[in-house]
Amino acid sequence: MVFEDYLGLNTSKHVDSRKRCSLLPKKIYRLTDGVTNEINLLQDSYDQIVLSDGIYATLESDANSHAALLLDFGKEFHGSIKLFIKKVESESKTATLLVRFGESITEAITPLGFKGSTNDHANREMFVSVRDLSANETNESGFRYVYIELVSECKVLLKSVKGIAVYTDCDVMGSFESSDEELNKIWLTAAYTTFLNMQNYLWDGIKRDRLVWAGDMYTEVRTIMATIGDHEIIRKTLNIAIDSTPDGHWISGISSYSIWWILIHKEYYEMFRNLEYLESQKEKLFEVLQRLMTTVNDNGNEELTGNRFIDWPTSGNTVAIHAGLQALVKMAFDAGHVIAKALGDEEMSSECLEFAKKVSKVNVDPNGSKQVGSLLALAGLKDASEINTNVLMPGGVRGYSTFMGYQILSAKALAGDVDGAIKDIKSYWGAMLDLGATTFWEDFNIEWVDGSYGVDSFPIQGKKDIHGDFGAYCYVGHRHSLCHGWASGPCPFLSEYVLGIKRVSNNEYVINPQIGDLNWVKGTYPTSKGPISVSVEKGHNSKLKINVKAPIGVKYKIINQ
């Protein structure tokens, strides 16, 4: 008898396919007296309480002082911690531990209610009751640091404290390496950021925003395409996004997110040619497209209702928001034309084409917004070179956002400025790494850097806390997520434009490396037939030597050699 049958499980909905792995902390900080032998928590041991005696880490608290320590797991991960208790020396044989997670050191040592610290979406601060010979697991969240305080007046012997990483196991076909180690680290960190958010569904963040947001997943999907290839989590998440939307509402409650949902379908189909899945979504896709048509007035201007959102830094810039939504509507109709054509619906294909032409006649202004400028260039509503010169280049990475990073970089590439995009990647995402990031953040403003200490630092007098002292809108202070999948834009960008592997049709690729000042680049990119491999080396007179290995059935054309 199959176990799932015995339990009466519907395996397609109720069985958790994720994996679990225990992790040791990399470093222990003793924060108070009353902590001894904490070094033993760094020693590997069975994930099981045993009866034999040994030397254990000890926490001992009294009425005057609580024992406390801080664990550093080396990099952020998604999961829980498990406290293995050898003994509780108290009359009740029970003790209470305060456990607090942190994406930064300061978040871990800061109580709820201070500097924006919350338990929103997943508890980051909790009390755990423990007894002799017990294993006690917390809820899941996203964190790197764990603060543990013995609040009971007694002694507790800790056998071990393990991190329990919970993740979706998948084969990674994509890779990127270059002569610039910082760039390599940025690619890996971006990929890892999205990987952590691949849980039962594709989430926005692993601490806060453990939710499905149709717009936020666009860049995550691009990153999955560049690293893993096709994965069922894309389809599952697209499905739940629309299935959980009430009739007459925009997906995720945001008009632009319904558009991003359409764009993901178009790019997913073009990448993997899964016509069966596209056909299963036809009715819902056409409903959203037809609703978008009702929001275009006689002059071609969009009049989208509800939450008119582009990204957080653009909030309040109504001129730019209109321009950005105009560009997104144009992109939606272009995508609808492709989708309808693939589905054999010539009437809908023609209708989308007509609406795309209609909205293209409207002249709109990005009003200084790099995010909106990039959308206008990508939608074909503005010349990419002019946008790059007048909007994207001024101020460098000031005005960048992590959410729209992929779009800004892609618009610069469209303008022929891949060199500038590489420099911006190093300036913007590289600054987060310099501040101790092991994943990329919900938002980041380059102006926060001066006079601030990093996420891996204890408070420094006279300096700002990069995590607790900044942020805006819904991400003030420690509520700010430091692992947001939408921030992974450099990963697909570096694979598509610098390594230069771009799909042009089903199993046909153009190899167009643009390596700028780099001496060499090499890597792989997933296709439906397996990974395509490219290596690029700068030769005499900066001429590029390009070698390509492609799976059987994959065609390619090399340019820029």
Side-chain angles (χ1 to χ4, degrees):
M1 179 181 291
V2 179
F3 186 66
E4 286 88 346
D5 291 342
Y6 180 72
L7 292 177
L9 296 178
N10 180 338
T11 57
S12 65
K13 289 185 177 180
H14 302 302
V15 172
D16 193 335
S17 62
R18 296 174 299 172
K19 287 193 173 181
R20 289 163 56 92
C21 177
S22 64
L23 306 173
L24 282 172
K26 302 296 185 184
K27 188 182 294 185
I28 308 288
Y29 297 93
R30 181 191 299 178
L31 301 181
T32 66
D33 293 334
V35 179
T36 57
N37 297 322
E38 67 276 8
I39 193 69
N40 288 296
L41 298 178
L42 300 177
Q43 307 304 313
D44 200 6
S45 62
Y46 293 109
D47 296 342
Q48 172 64 46
I49 287 291
V50 294
L51 296 174
S52 58
D53 291 328
I55 299 174
Y56 297 102
T58 302
L59 302 181
E60 186 169 10
S61 297
D62 56 31
N64 299 314
S65 177
H66 286 179
L69 51 77
L70 182 72
L71 283 60
D72 177 3
F73 284 91
K75 66 173 58 176
E76 180 150 352
F77 69 98
H78 170 263
S80 57
I81 66 162
K82 202 167 190 177
L83 301 122
F84 293 88
I85 308 299
K86 172 63 176 179
K87 188 174 184 181
V88 177
E89 295 184 3
S90 71
E91 186 175 340
S92 66
K93 300 298 183 184
T94 303
T96 300
L97 297 171
L98 170 65
V99 176
R100 188 186 300 126
F101 296 147
E103 293 185 296
S104 63
I105 285 180
T106 57
E107 184 182 14
I109 64 176
T110 302
L112 287 180
F114 294 89
K115 286 193 172 184
S117 297
T118 72
N119 269 347
D120 292 352
H121 302 180
N123 288 337
R124 61 171 285 281
E125 179 178 292
M126 65 215 76
F127 292 98
V128 180
S129 180
V130 301
R131 297 184 63 86
D132 284 358
L133 300 175
S134 63
N136 311 268
E137 190 169 349
T138 68
N139 60 261
E140 296 173 7
S141 185
F143 59 94
R144 171 180 171 179
Y145 301 95
V146 180
Y147 172 87
I148 300 174
E149 177 185 336
L150 176 59
V151 298
S152 300
E153 296 175 21
C154 65
K155 181 189 289 187
V156 171
L157 277 59
L158 282 169
K159 174 185 174 289
S160 60
V161 180
K162 298 287 186 72
I164 307 297
V166 181
Y167 58 97
T168 295
D169 193 23
C170 44
D171 294 329
V172 177
M173 287 193 286
S175 63
F176 176 89
E177 292 182 75
S178 74
S179 54
D180 189 317
E181 285 300 324
E182 182 183 34
L183 214 55
N184 301 342
K185 188 174 181 181
I186 289 170
W187 188 94
L188 280 171
T189 303
Y192 180 64
T193 301
T194 285
F195 171 73
L196 289 182
N197 282 286
M198 294 175 65
Q199 297 298 322
N200 286 322
Y201 293 92
L202 190 52
W203 288 345
D204 204 21
I206 55 174
K207 177 189 73 174
R208 202 204 81 254
D209 261 352
R210 298 162 61 88
L211 302 166
V212 170
W213 292 97
D216 304 0
M217 67 181 284
Y218 176 84
T219 299
E220 292 179 301
V221 170
R222 297 296 316 192
T223 299
I224 293 170
M225 288 179 175
T227 55
I228 297 165
D230 195 3
H231 197 284
E232 66 170 352
I233 200 168
I234 299 173
R235 300 186 299 277
K236 282 178 60 179
T237 309
L238 287 170
N239 289 347
I240 197 173
I242 189 68
D243 292 344
S244 62
T245 300
D247 291 342
H249 290 71
W250 296 113
I251 298 173
S252 302
I254 305 172
S255 53
S256 60
Y257 279 31
S258 290
I259 294 175
W260 289 117
W261 183 80
I262 292 171
L263 298 181
I264 295 169
H265 275 86
K266 176 251 187 185
E267 296 189 19
Y268 180 78
Y269 169 72
E270 288 186 326
M271 182 74 171
F272 303 112
R273 295 290 168 172
N274 189 336
L275 185 59
E276 182 180 357
Y277 175 68
L278 193 66
E279 287 174 338
S280 73
Q281 299 289 84
K282 177 179 177 179
E283 182 179 347
K284 297 168 185 176
L285 282 163
F286 283 14
E287 283 179 2
V288 177
L289 285 165
Q290 286 165 346
R291 186 178 182 197
L292 285 173
M293 292 173 186
T294 68
T295 69
V296 177
N297 68 20
D298 292 341
N299 297 321
N301 276 293
E302 62 79 24
E303 293 180 344
L304 288 166
T305 57
N307 189 344
R308 294 170 58 81
F309 181 80
I310 297 296
D311 73 340
W312 290 120
T314 312
S315 300
N317 188 344
T318 55
V319 172
I321 290 171
H322 168 56
L325 293 176
Q326 190 78 15
L328 283 171
V329 168
K330 164 66 161 54
M331 294 164 77
F333 291 134
D334 285 342
H337 168 63
V338 172
I339 289 168
K341 200 169 185 64
L343 291 170
D345 193 315
E346 291 299 329
E347 183 179 351
M348 175 60 82
S349 176
S350 297
E351 197 170 2
C352 285
L353 197 58
E354 287 304 311
F355 269 91
K357 292 177 181 177
K358 187 175 184 179
V359 298
S360 296
K361 296 176 181 179
V362 178
N363 184 32
V364 287
D365 180 6
N367 202 28
S369 168
K370 285 178 163 60
Q371 292 80 352
V372 171
S374 67
L375 291 176
L376 292 171
L378 295 172
L381 297 184
K382 294 288 185 182
D383 179 76
S385 295
E386 291 181 9
I387 287 291
N388 189 47
T389 299
N390 299 325
V391 182
L392 305 184
M393 291 178 65
V397 296
R398 294 181 185 274
Y400 258 70
S401 73
T402 54
F403 178 19
M404 297 286 285
Y406 175 72
Q407 288 79 5
I408 297 173
L409 296 171
S410 297
K412 290 181 74 68
L414 187 62
D417 188 17
V418 172
D419 288 1
I422 293 173
K423 290 181 175 66
D424 285 356
I425 288 172
K426 288 167 63 67
S427 297
Y428 188 71
W429 284 268
M432 283 183 262
L433 294 183
D434 292 341
L435 290 163
T438 60
T439 51
F440 290 132
W441 306 347
E442 180 176 12
D443 198 20
F444 179 62
N445 188 329
I446 198 67
E447 294 174 344
W448 298 347
V449 174
D450 289 344
S452 297
Y453 57 85
V455 298
D456 53 354
S457 175
F458 284 90
I460 299 174
Q461 189 173 5
K463 289 195 172 185
K464 292 280 191 179
D465 173 4
I466 194 65
H467 193 188
D469 290 337
F470 296 99
Y473 304 103
C474 72
Y475 55 95
V476 174
H478 289 140
R479 197 174 186 273
H480 191 182
S481 163
L482 299 190
C483 178
H484 240 57
W486 72 20
S488 63
C491 174
F493 176 82
L494 290 169
S495 294
E496 294 167 9
Y497 292 96
V498 178
L499 185 60
I501 306 175
K502 291 273 286 185
R503 185 202 51 75
V504 292
S505 63
N506 189 27
N507 290 319
E508 293 187 13
Y509 291 78
V510 164
I511 312 301
N512 182 23
Q514 299 174 74
I515 70 173
D517 293 332
L518 301 172
N519 295 320
W520 59 267
V521 172
K522 64 180 180 179
T524 53
Y525 195 90
T527 78
S528 60
K529 305 288 186 180
I532 186 169
S533 174
V534 173
S535 63
V536 186
E537 186 176 353
K538 192 175 291 182
H540 183 64
N541 293 329
S542 297
K543 188 174 182 179
L544 300 183
K545 298 178 181 178
I546 304 171
N547 291 309
V548 181
K549 293 181 180 179
I552 295 174
V554 171
K555 299 178 182 179
Y556 63 88
K557 178 182 179 181
I558 300 176
I559 57 178
N560 193 26
Q561 188 172 30

